[in-house]
Amino acid sequence: MKMRVQKGLLSAAVFSAGALLSGATLGAEDQAGRKIDHPNVVESELRYQGAPVPGQDVKMHITPGAPALTEAEFAYASQVFFERCAGCHGVLRKGATGKPLTPDITQQRGTEYLKALISYGTPAGMPNWNTSGVLTEDGIDIMARFLQHEPPTPPEWGIEEMKNSWKVYVPVDQRPTKKLNKLNIDNIFAVTLRDSGEIALIDGDTKEIINIIKTGYAVHISRPSDSGRYLYTIGRDARIDLIDLYMDPPALVAEIKIGLEARSVETSKYKGYEDKLAIAGAYWPPQYVIMDGPTLEPKKIMSTRGMTVDTQEYHPEPRVAAIVSSHEHPEFIVNVKETGKVLLVNYSDLDALSVTTLEAARFLHDGGWDSTHRYFMTAANKSNKIAVIDSKDREVEALVDTKEIPHPGRGANFVDPEFGPVWATSALGNADVTLIGTDPKRHKKNAWTVVRTLQGQGGGSLFVKTHPKSKNLWVDTTLNPDPKISQSIAVYDINDMESGFQVLPIGEWAGLGEGPKRVVQPEYNKAGDEVWFSVWSGKDQESAIVVVDDKTRTLKKVIKDKRLITPTGKFNVTNTRKDIY
């Protein structure tokens, strides 16, 4: 039996999603006794809370053996799943970073088991959605029942939909020809305000907020253009926003929606192509899009559906994960998650697009360059491998085995006193911090092997970070279910790593009230003498940015502002633009 969710019902369900996420329950009443579906949720919050739910095209599937679910509950759960869960488990719930959640598995587990799992999370990186305050008990009960039904399949999103969403607010010929503001653009931080659908531009020199800009929901990354003039953001709802940092204040000049869910955006960096093109990769539909850099006009859409590298089976949802811009050729390097393929997309002739396919390992996720910017180090996370891509010779250099679920972000490059140049990754599934040798010329025997494994605070780490001018390696544990671990940071002395780590109470230093106070993503300023941390609490709770002196490891500044709603990722313009990490 299949039922189509009505358009009006979906709108009500979106309101219900906001209500449940903010602590209210379905069927609440106002002071006059009237039924309301979105108490205490303002319109702007609903707009930017919105996930890539495909409107009236979502079809409800009633699966034999699954517990009862109303149409309103189904629509609400679809909203929450796309927003909170699809990134790890897949839109079709076939699994990737997270485990598969198809009905043959979930019905065996049962409602009570699923409720406990969703509520409390796991040390392997599954967030604790209830105890962290994100979902209510009512919401979790709905999700546990929803997961036992067949997942809905969203619609496609092609050139017509992209062009209908494309807006140029300030044409190129009306933009400034030189920088109008007095900002030190090289030291600006773009900070994701996850649940308000915004980014904060913060002056790294003064620590003052320059501007708050409306963007897509839950911006995943911000990427400056090669020149540093433009800033591209991409939300999990697949909306790209183009910000001109030359304006006073920096402002939005164009936007486009390239799908229903997405994670990656990048710009062309090869000599002669600087700032000319942009590329974005979607989680749904599984595709990537090449656009005009200054306007976001879509030029070329390419599907990623195909066969897996190991079993050679067709996969309907091979999502685009990390994308980096080659320094060796006019190419974008594109990770295709579920099939395990790395695409070298040559953009020198879009009318005769040349794509070279390299076979790596399944579940490719994030990654970054080694210190020479020749080798792309990328995690095939559920395969527990790091794939090394030689961007100059255009081949897979190595597949390096690691332990459970490496999650590097961009990783961290430094010189190990014993093993030479290394690249580091932490993990979701264990406390390991893995160091891989990256110098095949002067340290050949160490190249592409695990040369050192450090023990961190625990699993649930998202990011590691250092800087060429620093002697510290910082490791977060954002998703660890133990608050003492998730609210602190571990820091190692690069010259004496075996002596262990020092724990700094970043969450405590923030001086906040109630809330999860999860510490996420260390990020350096341009000079490399400060490290910035997001202290991430609920959207109705106070959050902050904590700035630490890198040399002394002492508190330098706490940035608080009522507009800093759920700050997560931070991207320094210089370090991001020049691939310094």
Side-chain angles (χ1 to χ4, degrees):
M1 176 183 180
K2 296 181 179 179
M3 294 183 286
R4 184 180 296 273
V5 175
Q6 297 175 357
K7 196 171 187 178
L9 178 61
L10 179 66
S11 298
V14 171
F15 293 146
S16 299
L20 285 166
L21 290 170
S22 64
T25 58
L26 285 169
E29 297 180 350
D30 65 13
Q31 291 181 344
R34 294 170 298 191
K35 293 290 184 181
I36 54 173
D37 288 312
H38 51 292
N40 305 318
V41 184
V42 298
E43 181 180 355
S44 61
E45 186 175 281
L46 286 169
R47 176 184 175 191
Y48 292 104
Q49 175 78 12
V53 176
Q56 67 271 28
D57 291 321
V58 171
K59 294 180 180 179
M60 180 175 178
H61 296 261
I62 300 299
T63 306
L69 197 70
T70 68
E71 289 187 348
E73 289 173 335
F74 178 86
Y76 158 74
S78 296
Q79 163 93 9
V80 174
F81 186 85
F82 278 111
E83 181 180 300
R84 302 284 180 177
C85 315
C88 286
H89 298 283
V91 172
L92 303 181
R93 306 211 304 254
K94 293 184 180 295
T97 305
K99 294 182 181 298
L101 294 173
T102 48
D104 58 316
I105 297 171
T106 54
Q107 285 189 22
Q108 288 184 359
R109 299 293 188 266
T111 301
E112 293 306 313
Y113 174 92
L114 294 171
K115 285 168 62 176
L117 184 67
I118 298 167
S119 294
Y120 299 105
T122 71
M126 170 72 180
N128 49 327
W129 294 113
N130 178 246
T131 56
S132 65
V134 176
L135 293 174
T136 65
E137 290 183 4
D138 286 345
I140 286 172
D141 177 71
I142 293 171
M143 294 305 298
R145 288 183 281 125
F146 167 79
L147 292 176
Q148 297 174 67
H149 293 265
E150 290 288 341
T153 301
E156 300 297 314
W157 190 271
I159 191 68
E160 181 179 356
E161 289 83 2
M162 289 186 199
K163 287 192 172 180
N164 287 339
S165 73
W166 175 46
K167 301 179 180 69
V168 178
Y169 297 109
V170 183
V172 174
D173 61 3
Q174 295 179 24
R175 297 175 194 171
T177 57
K178 61 181 180 179
K179 187 163 73 79
L180 299 181
N181 57 64
K182 297 181 180 180
L183 299 168
N184 178 8
I185 287 178
D186 287 344
N187 201 32
I188 287 177
F189 287 76
V191 180
T192 295
L193 305 180
R194 188 190 190 281
D195 290 329
S196 65
E198 299 169 319
I199 65 162
L201 297 180
I202 301 181
D203 188 323
D205 295 342
T206 66
K207 314 296 187 295
E208 298 293 329
I209 295 176
I210 299 165
N211 200 6
I212 303 288
I213 298 175
K214 294 292 185 184
T215 60
Y217 171 74
V219 164
H220 192 65
I221 57 173
S222 298
R223 291 287 179 263
S225 64
D226 185 79
S227 68
R229 171 174 184 166
Y230 291 112
L231 183 72
Y232 298 78
T233 71
I234 188 162
R236 295 194 177 202
D237 56 1
R239 173 176 153 183
I240 301 172
D241 291 280
L242 179 61
I243 297 161
D244 188 347
L245 298 178
Y246 277 16
M247 297 177 73
D248 187 19
L252 182 67
V253 294
E255 71 174 62
I256 191 172
K257 188 173 170 64
I258 59 96
L260 298 176
E261 187 182 5
R263 293 295 187 275
S264 299
V265 67
E266 182 61 290
T267 67
S268 51
K269 293 184 177 181
Y270 191 70
K271 186 176 181 180
Y273 294 91
E274 300 94 330
D275 289 29
K276 288 188 176 181
L277 296 172
I279 184 173
Y283 268 25
W284 188 272
Q287 61 192 25
Y288 59 91
V289 184
I290 299 176
M291 299 159 285
D292 177 69
T295 67
L296 300 181
E297 180 183 5
K299 297 292 187 181
K300 182 75 68 173
I301 305 172
M302 298 291 288
S303 173
T304 57
R305 291 183 171 101
M307 306 300 177
T308 61
V309 298
D310 46 10
T311 60
Q312 295 294 298
E313 294 176 294
Y314 177 76
H315 199 291
E317 189 193 354
R319 300 171 291 172
V320 177
I323 303 175
V324 296
S325 189
S326 175
H327 301 268
E328 302 284 352
H329 301 280
E331 291 179 337
F332 294 119
I333 302 176
V334 178
N335 276 355
V336 184
K337 194 180 189 81
E338 279 74 14
T339 56
K341 296 175 180 178
V342 178
L343 309 180
L344 309 181
V345 181
N346 189 295
Y347 51 73
S348 60
D349 186 352
L350 295 185
D351 293 326
L353 194 69
S354 173
V355 181
T356 299
T357 301
L358 305 181
E359 295 196 349
R362 291 184 70 186
F363 308 118
L364 292 164
H365 189 60
D366 209 351
W369 294 104
D370 80 309
S371 61
T372 69
H373 296 165
R374 172 173 174 172
Y375 298 99
F376 177 44
M377 313 285 292
T378 183
N381 51 27
K382 283 297 286 185
S383 295
N384 300 323
K385 296 181 185 294
I386 299 296
V388 183
I389 307 301
D390 183 344
S391 67
K392 182 176 182 179
D393 291 343
R394 307 173 77 247
E395 63 186 13
V396 178
E397 184 72 17
L399 292 174
V400 184
D401 290 325
T402 65
K403 290 187 180 178
E404 189 176 3
I405 317 181
H407 195 288
R410 287 288 175 113
N413 290 299
F414 56 93
V415 178
D416 184 287
E418 182 178 351
F419 300 107
V422 296
W423 177 89
T425 177
S426 55
L428 287 170
N430 60 79
D432 287 0
V433 180
T434 303
L435 277 54
I436 298 171
T438 60
D439 183 3
K441 292 184 177 180
R442 297 179 182 178
H443 299 81
K444 187 174 182 179
K445 68 176 182 179
N446 299 329
W448 323 132
T449 64
V450 176
V451 297
R452 195 188 297 270
T453 302
L454 308 173
Q455 286 299 297
Q457 291 198 83
S461 175
L462 292 178
F463 300 101
V464 294
K465 187 70 70 172
T466 190
H467 188 277
K469 296 182 180 179
S470 174
K471 299 300 181 183
N472 290 322
L473 174 67
W474 304 85
V475 183
D476 70 20
T477 37
T478 312
L479 298 183
N480 195 287
D482 184 340
K484 291 182 180 179
I485 296 177
S486 65
Q487 294 178 10
S488 61
I489 198 80
V491 55
Y492 297 83
D493 181 344
I494 286 172
N495 293 319
D496 186 19
M497 286 175 288
E498 293 300 333
S499 66
F501 55 82
Q502 179 184 3
V503 176
L504 301 184
I506 303 297
E508 179 183 324
W509 286 354
L512 303 174
E514 292 185 356
K517 295 185 281 290
R518 291 166 290 211
V519 176
V520 62
Q521 200 203 34
E523 176 74 342
Y524 278 85
N525 63 344
K526 178 187 176 183
D529 58 9
E530 293 176 355
V531 193
W532 292 37
F533 300 92
S534 296
V535 183
W536 169 24
S537 284
K539 68 180 181 181
D540 298 319
Q541 298 165 326
E542 188 180 32
S543 295
I545 304 293
V546 171
V547 182
V548 174
D549 184 291
D550 181 70
K551 185 175 181 180
T552 63
R553 301 179 179 179
T554 57
L555 176 63
K556 189 170 184 178
K557 175 76 173 179
V558 177
I559 303 173
K560 290 185 180 181
D561 191 291
K562 64 181 180 180
R563 296 171 293 172
L564 290 179
I565 300 170
T566 58
T568 53
K570 300 167 298 305
F571 303 91
N572 177 269
V573 168
T574 293
N575 294 334
T576 307
R577 176 168 63 95
K578 294 187 176 181
D579 295 313
I580 298 172
Y581 32 81

